[in-house]
DNA sequence: TATTGTTATACTCTATAACTATA
DNA sequence: TATAGTTATAGAGTATAACAATA
């Protein structure tokens, strides 16, 4: 509480479970209500309450009251949560980059084209 | 217990969880010990005990004693388990076939090539 | 002693039902 | 009444530790 705030992040575990990562990624787009988070992740409201609680306890997200509707709360990323998401993505990208970089240019093109096709199929 | 045995299968739920499907698929290759199943699925031995119990309860697999090593047991598919696995795969293939069949010949080629590349990357 | 498998126990994520507060 | 969120409770998956039986 008195010195190197970055040490805290680097010393703590960066691990987040898949369902937590999904919430962080959503909140990186914009703040959301628990209802919106639950619908997007296709889990029940109580499950999302639990997930959000865990992220709040870790200081990665924060709850604030909706100023216009007293029933709702707004969940948003903290600076720490945003930084953690960024770190995780950087690490994942690095992991994949190494493997893709070993492929030939033609192979990389095939993967790029396949990604486009699969994205279209998945959205049907 | 007196007539249409197939009715039983068609009336019962075909749903199997992913970790159960993995075990059925392994056993379709050949019978295995719980130890082998656990190692392959990368779960602990007690978890595999539980999974096998569930499959035994549903009549999809059976335990038999190893004749040469009294410590080991052998888990194998029942006829019902083999048939269920076959049905699930047929349904999955049908689902994917419909989507792939809507693609052009070129797009299908791209996916085939990508699958080969990704399989190689994944096995590195 | 080492190995195989199970039982005991606990933690996490999931769900549905019931409850509170607000619209 | 309907909606948003939480709490209560239970089910299914995971794990580690401890145990029994056998090699």
């Amino acid at each position: 509480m008195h010195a190197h705030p970055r040490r805290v992040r680097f010393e703590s575990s960066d691990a987040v479970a898949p369902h937590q990562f999904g919430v962080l990624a959503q909140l990186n787009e914009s703040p959301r209500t628990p209802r919106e988070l639950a619908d997007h992740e296709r889990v029940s409201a109580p499950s999302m309450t639990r997930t959000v609680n865990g992220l709040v306890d870790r200081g990665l997200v924060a709850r604030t009251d909706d100023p216009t509707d007293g029933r709702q709360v707004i969940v948003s990323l903290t600076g720490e949560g945003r930084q953690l998401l960024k770190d995780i993505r950087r690490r994942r990208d690095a992991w994949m980059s190494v493997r893709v970089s070993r492929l030939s240019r033609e192979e990389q093109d095939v993967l790029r084209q396949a990604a486009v096709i699969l994205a279209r199929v998945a959205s049907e």
Side-chain angles (χ1 to χ4, degrees), chain A residues 16-28:
Chain A
V16 287
H19 70 289
Q20 294 175 318
F21 180 84
V23 170
L24 295 182
Q26 269 195 82
L27 296 178
N28 196 43

Side-chain angles (χ1 to χ4, degrees), chain A residues 4-124:
Chain A
H4 320 286
R6 288 197 300 179
R7 291 285 299 276
V8 177
R9 178 164 60 80
F10 292 133
E11 285 169 7
S12 70
S13 169
D14 279 8
V16 287
H19 70 289
Q20 294 175 318
F21 180 84
V23 170
L24 295 182
Q26 269 195 82
L27 296 178
N28 196 43
E29 302 302 319
S30 82
R32 301 278 157 85
T33 66
R35 180 73 267 161
E36 292 170 332
L37 294 171
D39 287 346
H40 191 271
E41 300 293 315
R42 296 175 183 277
V43 298
S44 66
S47 288
M48 188 49 68
T49 292
R50 183 192 169 86
T51 298
V52 170
N53 282 343
L55 294 172
V56 168
D57 290 345
R58 291 180 61 178
L60 303 177
V61 310
R63 281 189 179 91
T64 56
D65 293 334
D66 185 308
T68 67
D69 186 337
R71 296 171 303 183
Q72 295 192 149
V73 305
I74 297 169
V75 185
S76 51
L77 277 186
T78 62
E80 204 177 336
R82 194 174 302 277
Q83 183 63 49
L84 177 58
L85 180 65
K86 198 173 159 187
D87 290 347
I88 293 170
R89 284 182 163 161
R90 184 180 301 138
R91 206 172 313 142
R92 289 188 181 183
D93 288 351
W95 188 93
M96 199 60 188
S97 290
V98 168
R99 280 150 189 83
V100 170
S101 68
R102 293 186 190 132
L103 302 176
S104 69
R105 192 163 189 296
E106 289 71 24
E107 289 172 327
Q108 292 181 28
D109 279 342
V110 168
L111 292 188
R112 254 186 292 272
Q113 293 169 36
V116 171
I117 295 168
L118 290 173
R120 179 156 43 82
V121 168
S123 68
E124 278 171 3

